[in-house]
Amino acid sequence: MRISSIQSYLKISMIVTLVFVPAVVYADEGDGFSIAATLGWLAIGCGMVANLSLVIFKMMKKMSIMKLVGDAGTSQNLTAMYKPVLNFHIMLNSVGFFAGLSHGFMLIRDLDYISLSLVIVMTVSMISGIILRFTSGKNLKFFSRLVHGQAVLAAMLVTLVVLHVITRWHHGIIMNFI
Amino acid sequence: MKIYSYVLMVLVILATSAPTLAIAQYENEGDRQPDTMILTIFSLTLYVTIFAILGIVGYSVWKVFKIRRKAAKMKLV
């Protein structure tokens, strides 16, 4: 009983710590643009860690089920670990999304087509993820699972992030005229 | 069913290739002022993204309805 309460306190403190992660960028002594840019990089970093960890975990689980790695015990351990990994994925993606949102609001004057496309794709991923996590309706859950798990959506997200970074490098060398 | 995924893949390829073309065009222009063609190509990205999202949502809705119809038919039998 006591151990479980300590664990729940640890979990809550971990979540609170993650929420304050974007505040780290303000430690930088740069100007407003530097803070906004750091927020953007933070969003990219959070997204990469959150999604890669889940993808690697799922691959490991699949391989252990196929008996390529480890034994039956490994598979059971991985199944037990699924929920914490999923929570980590949700939490870090939320932090990344809100960091990206702040980055977007700070640099809204330089909005361009690629940034807007990125916002749309990110929002669709986020909304479908939230619905998937919190809905209990069978049809809605299946629908959100389909939308959230589309490889096309992931490919578009990665492509748009890469294009956004390329076009915005050095304060937008390419996009300054648009 | 596979045709839908192919259509979606084509949309993604369009979305990725359009800005790449614009960057290539910009590099060719050098220091000269770029023309409106680049702007058009970049704006295409937004439209392709919107249509791709609509495609994904439409495909998912269609899939849910298909499964519901199948389940209803199985109930009747």
Side-chain angles (χ1 to χ4, degrees), chain A residues 67-175:
Chain A
K67 304 280 181 196
L68 290 174
V69 177
D71 51 4
T74 317
S75 176
Q76 279 177 354
N77 284 340
L78 286 174
T79 308
M81 271 175 68
Y82 180 69
K83 211 157 186 191
V85 172
L86 187 68
N87 286 337
F88 178 73
H89 165 82
I90 293 166
M91 193 63 214
L92 216 56
N93 263 331
S94 307
V95 170
F97 179 78
F98 287 109
L101 203 74
S102 318
H103 164 84
F105 277 124
M106 287 167 93
L107 299 170
I108 201 154
R109 278 184 185 176
D110 301 322
L111 184 71
D112 58 62
Y113 293 110
I114 292 173
S115 309
L116 194 58
S117 307
L118 186 60
V119 169
I120 293 167
V121 174
M122 273 172 71
T123 311
V124 170
S125 297
M126 190 70 186
I127 290 171
S128 60
I130 289 169
I131 294 170
L132 183 62
R133 179 70 182 86
F134 293 108
T135 190
S136 54
K138 215 173 178 180
N139 291 327
L140 198 59
K141 205 168 185 82
F142 185 60
F143 167 76
S144 55
R145 192 186 295 273
L146 276 170
V147 174
H148 197 70
Q150 285 288 337
V152 176
L153 200 70
M156 270 170 61
L157 190 65
V158 172
T159 310
L160 287 168
V161 167
V162 170
L163 285 170
H164 179 71
V165 172
I166 290 169
T167 52
R168 284 285 159 193
W169 197 257
H170 288 303
H171 206 7
I173 285 175
I174 294 165
M175 300 291 285

Side-chain angles (χ1 to χ4, degrees), chain A residues 124 143 146-147 150, chain B residues 4-5 8 11 50-66:
Chain A
V124 170
F143 167 76
L146 276 170
V147 174
Q150 285 288 337
Chain B
Y4 289 96
S5 49
L8 286 174
L11 284 172
I50 290 167
F51 281 114
I53 296 288
L54 288 175
I56 289 168
V57 172
Y59 170 74
S60 304
V61 169
W62 173 75
K63 193 111 187 184
V64 170
F65 272 108
K66 196 181 157 192

